[in-house]
Amino acid sequence: MNLTLKIWRQKDSKSKGQMVDYKVTDISEHMSFLEMMDVLNEQLVNTGEEPVAFDHDCREGICGMCSMYINGEAHGPDRGVTTCQLHMRMFKDGDTITIEPFRAAAFPVIKDLVVDRTSFERIQQAGGYISVNTSGNTQDANSIPISKHAADEAMDAATCIGCGACVATCKNSSAMLFVGAKVSQYALLPQGQIEAADRVRNMVAQMDLEGFGNCTNTGACEIECPKGISLENIARMNRELMKANL
């Protein structure tokens, strides 16, 4: 395939960015999207130009590092995949592909397509953990009864990889799906009950402090989430917050 790429280029967080056009040729439909970006960068390096900066790590849809807004959609036109799992067979020869970073005030651009998502880490640090007795009298996890339904729901919430697609696709730049998932994975389990009230209060407070917007139940976040995190987790977070405040 021969493609035209319109890519956001920005030297650093303080510089003004712009869309720049590039041409790539002989792209195989079997390539991943990031492999196509590797081809472009090799081409730029060979001509003495600055390669396009973009986040990536595992390239297996696990780490949550890759974060591109492709043709107006977080992670591109496919569903249930991250950018690194998106393949070029989703595009046609001669297509023009627009590639931007995730857009949100709480995700400032560092360079080109790389954004600073440490706001998620600060939310997690505010309460996304449990206390564990490490004195030698630790209770065996297998001795704590947990219903199959609760365990399944907790696991579904825990599949969130913190990529930020929910924020990027939300018209309000809301992080409530992310925070809801992180609250839910503990709220559903007995091990998470000790800090339950402090956890949800602290994580929601940190979310607001970071400048994320509120949820207006549009549902775009669930559709674009590569792990299919359910809106039910936002409802659960709201219930947990109400209980904590009461």
Side-chain angles (χ1 to χ4, degrees), residues 71-118:
N71 285 349
E73 296 181 85
H75 295 305
D78 209 350
R79 289 289 173 267
V81 299
T82 54
T83 302
C84 62
Q85 295 173 302
L86 178 67
H87 280 79
M88 297 311 296
R89 55 179 168 266
M90 297 298 296
F91 304 94
K92 296 182 179 66
D93 182 40
D95 275 359
T96 296
I97 305 174
T98 301
I99 310 168
E100 302 171 84
F102 280 179
R103 301 288 192 184
F107 288 168
V109 174
I110 296 174
K111 182 178 181 179
D112 295 339
L113 304 175
V114 180
V115 297
D116 182 354
R117 286 172 288 179
T118 53

Side-chain angles (χ1 to χ4, degrees), residues 43-140:
Q43 177 180 306
L44 293 176
V45 169
N46 288 340
T47 56
E49 296 180 67
E50 182 78 13
V52 178
F54 61 91
D55 265 332
H56 63 95
D57 192 0
C58 74
R59 299 201 178 201
E60 294 179 350
I62 298 169
C63 70
M65 284 295 291
C66 55
S67 52
M68 294 184 193
Y69 207 67
I70 303 164
N71 285 349
E73 296 181 85
H75 295 305
D78 209 350
R79 289 289 173 267
V81 299
T82 54
T83 302
C84 62
Q85 295 173 302
L86 178 67
H87 280 79
M88 297 311 296
R89 55 179 168 266
M90 297 298 296
F91 304 94
K92 296 182 179 66
D93 182 40
D95 275 359
T96 296
I97 305 174
T98 301
I99 310 168
E100 302 171 84
F102 280 179
R103 301 288 192 184
F107 288 168
V109 174
I110 296 174
K111 182 178 181 179
D112 295 339
L113 304 175
V114 180
V115 297
D116 182 354
R117 286 172 288 179
T118 53
S119 51
F120 269 13
E121 295 176 17
R122 290 188 289 271
I123 292 171
Q124 190 80 334
Q125 290 164 3
Y129 53 84
I130 61 170
S131 294
V132 177
N133 183 347
T134 57
S135 65
N137 298 316
T138 308
Q139 187 175 5
D140 191 325

